[in-house]
Amino acid sequence: MRRLNLALAERSYPILIGGGLLSRGDLIVPFLRTARVALVSNTNVAPLYLDIVVKALEKVGVGVTPIILPDGEAHKNWESLNLIYDALLANRCDRGTTIVALGGGVIGDLAGFAAATYQRGVPFVQIPTTLLSQVDSSVGGKTGINHPRGKNMVGAFWQPKLVLADTDTLKTLPDRELSAGMAEVIKYGLIRDLPFLGWLEANMKGLLARDGELLAHAIERSCANKAEVVAADEYETAAVGGRALLNLGHTFGHAIETGMGYGEWLHGEAVAAGMMMAVELSRRLGWLSVADVDRVRAVLQRANLPVKGADLGAARYLELMSHDKKVIAGSLRLVLLKALGDAVTYADAPREEIVAAIESCCRE
Ligand code: NAD
Ligand code: GLY
């Protein structure tokens, strides 16, 4: 088992990565306030893994209330959140109850927001089961739901007490979802870890073939990068750089997800196309070479990710991007690359260059 720590003073927590962790109730117990858990999952993941976790917790004396939500990004909304509150109340869950998320990023974000708000906050544990959630969404405490006008527009920062990433769960993940998770893995290489980008280029074939050791290394390195960034800027308030850098490609990507309708493009797919737009814009600003852009395109394609954007039209992109959470006083801050492995936040990209980057990535 690999073990990392997210250092946030009294709210620090471990990230445990390895095979067979779902059946290790003993790893979870020390992080519970009382021997009571509400286990939130969905109709897709529950038949695969719920019983294993319930049995593991019952074996160590923990009572479990399962809460099963409909599956998919289209259900990351108020209705699903209310289903969680309804079940918590119907089962008389109190402030000692820990909410445990068992699933991908959608379940993690929903369950985390429920934990942040139920009775003004209850403890929370993440058991991520997709590559994307194991390398990104389960770590760092961002929780929330989508609004029809924008992705993740309603939410809260609420750190988990523990992240338990069982790499065995990736064996049942569809190929398309594995690739979507790889977009966020590649992101860490692009924003701050150039040696990791080289390692990913060399090992992409084995990663997509689900070599356990390679996947565990990629997850550990991704979480280590994320933990460092979050520890330095937990609430994303740094005036420049900081946690916002984790959003490379996301402003463009969120526009694709919202513009196409939630669930049409997977989050990681939209991020991949969005990263191409950010990289192309960085080239137009004179920071990256054509060879750099080609290198990014090649690694994304090797991960079976889209590099061409959704054909929404640049005006619609800009409209959707104007709702981005990085907009401050009307000024849109984009995450761009000064060089591969060196990301910056930048508010001064000329509008015509942003339009040109979008259009060029929707044409290719
Ligand atoms: P997801 O949660 O929708 O999971 C993808 C699909 O895989 C779903 O159908 C799910 O049921 C299924 N699944 C999950 N685990 C499985 C398994 N082991 N075997 C088979 N099927 C499995 O999507 P995701 O890619 O995990 O997460 C995307 C979400 O995460 C988006 O809503 C995004 O906004 C959010 N996100 C949040 C953060 C954050 O910091 N909080 C960061 C990145 C992304
Ligand atoms: N996924 C971006 C963040 O956690 O800040």
Side-chain angles (χ1 to χ4, degrees):
M1 182 171 73
R2 298 162 192 245
R3 185 189 180 99
L4 297 166
N5 181 51
L6 206 163
L8 290 170
E10 74 285 356
R11 286 172 298 104
S12 300
Y13 53 92
I15 303 163
L16 307 182
I17 303 159
L21 301 190
L22 288 190
S23 43
R24 296 284 308 276
D26 59 306
L27 294 176
I28 300 176
V29 163
F31 298 92
L32 305 181
R33 194 176 285 163
T34 65
R36 183 83 195 277
V37 151
L39 184 55
V40 181
S41 192
N42 70 28
T43 49
N44 195 23
V45 175
L48 296 169
Y49 300 116
L50 190 86
D51 273 359
I52 302 175
V53 180
V54 170
K55 282 196 183 103
L57 286 168
E58 285 176 350
K59 199 172 145 195
V60 290
V62 176
V64 182
T65 300
I67 302 174
I68 312 301
L69 303 177
D71 180 35
E73 187 73 41
H75 295 283
K76 190 174 155 183
N77 56 25
W78 279 114
E79 285 75 28
S80 298
L81 194 62
N82 267 320
L83 290 176
I84 304 179
Y85 297 139
D86 287 347
L88 292 170
L89 287 164
N91 288 282
R92 299 188 175 277
C93 293
D94 59 23
R95 280 188 168 161
T97 304
T98 298
I99 296 185
V100 178
L102 175 69
V106 169
I107 286 296
D109 283 11
L110 270 164
F113 191 30
T117 47
Y118 182 68
Q119 299 195 357
R120 300 199 179 88
V122 296
F124 177 44
V125 165
Q126 287 268 21
I127 308 185
T129 62
T130 62
L131 179 62
L132 187 137
S133 56
Q134 294 186 355
V135 300
D136 192 350
S137 62
S138 64
V139 174
K142 279 189 182 175
T143 73
I145 58 173
N146 299 327
H147 186 279
R149 284 175 187 264
K151 272 280 292 177
N152 299 333
M153 278 297 152
V154 182
F157 286 96
W158 193 249
Q159 299 293 345
K161 301 284 180 202
L162 164 73
V163 178
L164 199 70
D166 185 337
T167 49
D168 286 344
T169 60
L170 301 180
K171 290 176 186 158
T172 55
L173 197 64
D175 287 343
R176 188 178 165 201
E177 298 289 351
L178 189 74
S179 287
M182 209 56 80
E184 302 279 16
V185 176
I186 292 168
K187 172 190 78 180
Y188 295 112
L190 293 177
I191 61 170
R192 70 194 305 274
D193 192 348
L194 196 54
F196 186 39
L197 183 68
W199 183 88
L200 289 168
E201 289 168 327
N203 291 287
M204 190 55 72
K205 207 170 155 207
L207 287 162
L208 295 182
R210 300 172 201 237
D211 179 298
E213 267 309 298
L214 293 180
L215 280 171
H217 176 76
I219 295 163
E220 183 183 26
R221 186 86 169 244
S222 299
C223 288
N225 271 297
K226 180 150 187 183
E228 266 181 38
V229 173
V230 171
D233 183 23
E234 181 181 4
Y235 297 113
E236 206 169 307
T237 48
V240 289
R243 184 167 181 166
L245 300 181
L246 296 172
N247 271 320
L248 177 70
H250 284 56
T251 304
F252 300 101
H254 285 164
I256 295 175
E257 288 184 87
T258 309
M260 295 300 288
Y262 297 125
E264 197 59 38
W265 280 54
L266 300 183
H267 176 69
E269 293 172 342
V271 166
M275 289 197 294
M276 278 313 297
M277 292 176 187
V279 162
E280 170 61 15
L281 181 54
S282 305
R283 184 193 69 77
R284 286 173 180 274
L285 295 174
W287 299 337
L288 294 184
S289 66
V290 171
D292 290 332
V293 177
D294 289 345
R295 184 172 170 191
V296 176
R297 185 184 299 106
V299 70
L300 293 173
Q301 285 177 324
R302 208 172 303 166
N304 297 324
L305 284 161
V307 291
K308 180 175 178 293
D311 207 4
L312 299 171
R316 178 82 175 123
Y317 270 94
L318 291 180
E319 211 289 303
L320 289 163
M321 288 163 63
S322 71
H323 294 290
D324 190 89
K325 290 189 288 305
K326 288 184 293 306
V327 171
I328 296 177
S331 164
L332 175 61
R333 288 182 311 143
L334 288 168
V335 182
L336 300 175
L337 297 184
K338 281 276 181 187
L340 295 185
D342 181 12
V344 288
T345 48
Y346 191 64
D348 296 324
R351 185 187 161 93
E352 60 275 16
E353 294 296 352
I354 300 175
V355 167
I358 292 170
E359 287 178 342
S360 122
C361 289
C362 291
R363 252 195 325 269
E364 273 170 28

